Amino acid sequence: MAQPLMPHATASWLVDNTALSFEQIAEFCGLHILEVQAIADDTAATKLTGRDPVRAHELTMEEIEKGQADPDYRMKMSKGPEQVRRTKGPRYTPVSKRQDKPDGIAWIIRNHPEISDGAIGKLIGTTRNTIAAIRDRSHWNIANIVAKDPVTLGLTTQRELDAAVAKAAKAAGIEAPVDTRLEGDREALLEQLRAEREAASREDAGVVESDGGFVDPFKR
């Protein structure tokens, strides 16, 4: 399925400018719902600058309106310009995040030892020598390396990490771990987030709460 050229920036814009559910935004942008939640909560590694998918001809207002009217609707991407994709070479990582790579590598080594060095290199965009140095603790900066989730650091996406874990587990003949972070209260969390966004929208529109009800401040 086609995805926006800049999925995280697009998700940030959709969170700030529409009433779409996190599920709809995650599906359209090809992200994990936890990534969208992090963007909405401003807990992502860096503050994202939103990218308008309508102006980029990747999404129409009609599709957004359909999605806002029906939480189960899955938006369809407009046919935009051909995107240039890298087919060879290591993943590009912004300079500002390169210092975080050792922390992300250490997290994968500790939590998913079944993932090969080659797979880690593709996920993080690093070399086998660096991974080996962190693994055997001979890295020059090993004393300052703290294992941190590479998804939270913005070095990879949750979907890519989950896919690497599943592939490595299958190759090793073990059962892949299941993401249960939202199990049980997933729907409750989504409902709460939607309610908070709706309340914020009403407040922005000049509606204030008084004695358990809502009144228009201009009608006094």
Side-chain angles (χ1 to χ4, degrees):
M1 180 179 178
Q3 297 175 0
L5 185 61
M6 299 174 67
H8 288 86
T10 300
S12 179
W13 188 92
L14 291 171
V15 166
D16 290 339
N17 296 277
T18 73
L20 295 167
S21 71
F22 287 178
E23 282 183 303
Q24 289 172 307
I25 295 174
E27 182 75 20
F28 178 75
C29 295
L31 302 175
H32 193 283
I33 190 171
L34 292 176
E35 293 180 271
V36 179
Q37 181 184 336
I39 291 171
D41 294 341
D42 291 335
T43 57
T46 57
K47 177 64 178 176
L48 295 170
T49 300
R51 179 175 185 267
D52 185 347
V54 178
R55 293 186 62 182
H57 305 294
E58 295 174 340
L59 186 64
T60 65
M61 282 305 302
E62 288 77 12
E63 282 293 294
I64 291 177
E65 289 169 359
K66 288 179 182 178
Q68 292 178 142
D70 180 6
D72 294 326
Y73 182 76
R74 294 297 178 258
M75 296 181 295
K76 300 177 180 62
M77 186 171 176
S78 303
K79 183 177 180 181
E82 289 294 322
Q83 301 177 9
V84 178
R85 299 181 182 274
R86 291 176 61 88
T87 55
K88 294 183 180 180
R91 175 195 296 272
Y92 173 76
T93 305
V95 175
S96 61
K97 294 184 180 179
R98 291 178 189 176
Q99 63 185 13
D100 296 328
K101 285 186 178 184
D103 293 344
I105 295 169
W107 187 93
I108 295 176
I109 290 174
R110 186 183 71 183
N111 292 280
H112 298 290
E114 70 276 11
I115 299 182
S116 68
D117 288 359
I120 295 175
K122 290 180 180 179
L123 273 176
I124 305 297
T126 188
T127 66
R128 291 176 183 268
N129 289 339
T130 299
I131 299 169
I134 294 173
R135 191 184 291 279
D136 62 23
R137 302 190 64 79
S138 63
H139 191 277
W140 66 272
N141 195 36
I142 192 65
N144 297 314
I145 294 177
V146 179
K148 296 179 182 177
D149 189 337
V151 175
T152 302
L153 293 173
L155 298 172
T156 187
T157 67
Q158 189 67 51
R159 283 192 175 189
E160 289 173 324
L161 178 59
D162 289 346
V165 170
K167 184 176 180 180
K170 182 178 180 181
I174 61 178
E175 186 176 349
V178 178
D179 185 355
T180 59
R181 282 172 289 184
L182 288 180
E183 193 173 272
D185 61 349
R186 180 170 175 274
E187 290 302 321
L189 174 61
L190 288 173
E191 200 60 40
Q192 177 185 345
L193 292 170
R194 288 171 190 152
E196 289 175 355
R197 290 185 61 195
E198 289 173 2
S201 297
R202 288 196 294 269
E203 184 176 339
D204 291 341
V207 179
V208 297
E209 186 172 5
S210 174
D211 298 326
F214 293 94
V215 297
D216 189 331
F218 296 103
K219 294 182 179 178
R220 296 181 177 175

